[in-house]
């Protein structure tokens, strides 16, 4: 099982760097382009939510292959983003947005491309948001 993490400052300009890091790390693991694209999208949304909805000074992103999955082929990828905040996130669930609204669809996107996602309390860190993505091989 492969696993890695990285931390970046909790600033809007760090989101693009997080996307690049995720793409590079997964490419190094031999992930296909579709998996890299989906993971970059999910990390971008989760990282952005952490920056917007927490008072964190930094954001930690973890990528790991999940074992014990029900997938027949391939290994699902778990992405987790954690900021430091004493209480629960202020945006805990996706909701329907009006067409004219510019923001607020990130968790809807995460839900659409993930097998599962959720929020959990991480002792010593605060709250994290995670998503499990199927690999392209697992979808076939």
């Amino acid at each position: 099982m492969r696993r890695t993490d990285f931390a970046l400052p909790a600033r809007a300009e760090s989101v693009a760097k997080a996307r690049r890091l995720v793409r590079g790390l997964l490419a190094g693991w031999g992930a296909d382009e579709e998996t890299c694209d989906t993971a970059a999208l999910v990390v971008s949304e989760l990282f952005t939510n952490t920056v917007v909805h927490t008072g964190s000074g930094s954001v930690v992103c973890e990528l790991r292959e999940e074992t014990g999955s029900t997938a027949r082929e391939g290994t699902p990828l778990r992405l987790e983003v954690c900021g430091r905040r004493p209480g629960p996130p202020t945006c805990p669930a996706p909701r329907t947005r009006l067409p004219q609204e510019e923001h607020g669809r990130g968790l809807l996107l995460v839900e659409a491309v993930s097998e599962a996602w959720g929020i959990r309390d991480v002792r010593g860190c605060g709250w994290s948001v995670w998503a499990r993505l199927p690999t392209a091989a697992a979808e076939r």
Side-chain angles (χ1 to χ4, degrees), residues 9-20:
R11 297 192 305 254
E13 58 268 18
S14 296
V15 176
K17 185 168 186 176
R19 279 193 304 267
R20 286 191 303 273

Side-chain angles (χ1 to χ4, degrees), residues 9-69:
R11 297 192 305 254
E13 58 268 18
S14 296
V15 176
K17 185 168 186 176
R19 279 193 304 267
R20 286 191 303 273
L21 283 168
V22 165
R23 284 180 184 279
L25 290 165
L26 292 178
W29 289 3
D32 60 86
E33 190 172 339
E34 181 181 349
T35 299
C36 291
D37 290 345
T38 302
L41 169 70
V42 168
V43 165
S44 179
E45 297 300 334
L46 298 182
F47 196 105
T48 298
N49 279 354
T50 302
V51 169
V52 171
H53 298 290
T54 72
S56 179
S58 66
V59 177
V60 177
C61 297
E62 178 184 279
L63 292 75
R64 75 174 180 257
E65 293 176 328
E66 275 201 332
T67 58
S69 166

Side-chain angles (χ1 to χ4, degrees), residues 82-89 119-129:
C82 181
R84 300 184 191 283
R85 185 169 191 267
I119 299 170
R120 70 182 187 99
D121 184 9
V122 180
R123 289 203 162 90
C125 180
W127 292 84
S128 80
V129 183

Side-chain angles (χ1 to χ4, degrees), residues 90-108:
T90 58
C91 186
R95 68 176 181 92
T96 303
R97 295 290 178 165
L98 299 173
Q100 65 271 23
E101 290 183 272
E102 292 183 22
H103 303 287
R105 292 178 182 84
L107 291 177
L108 291 171

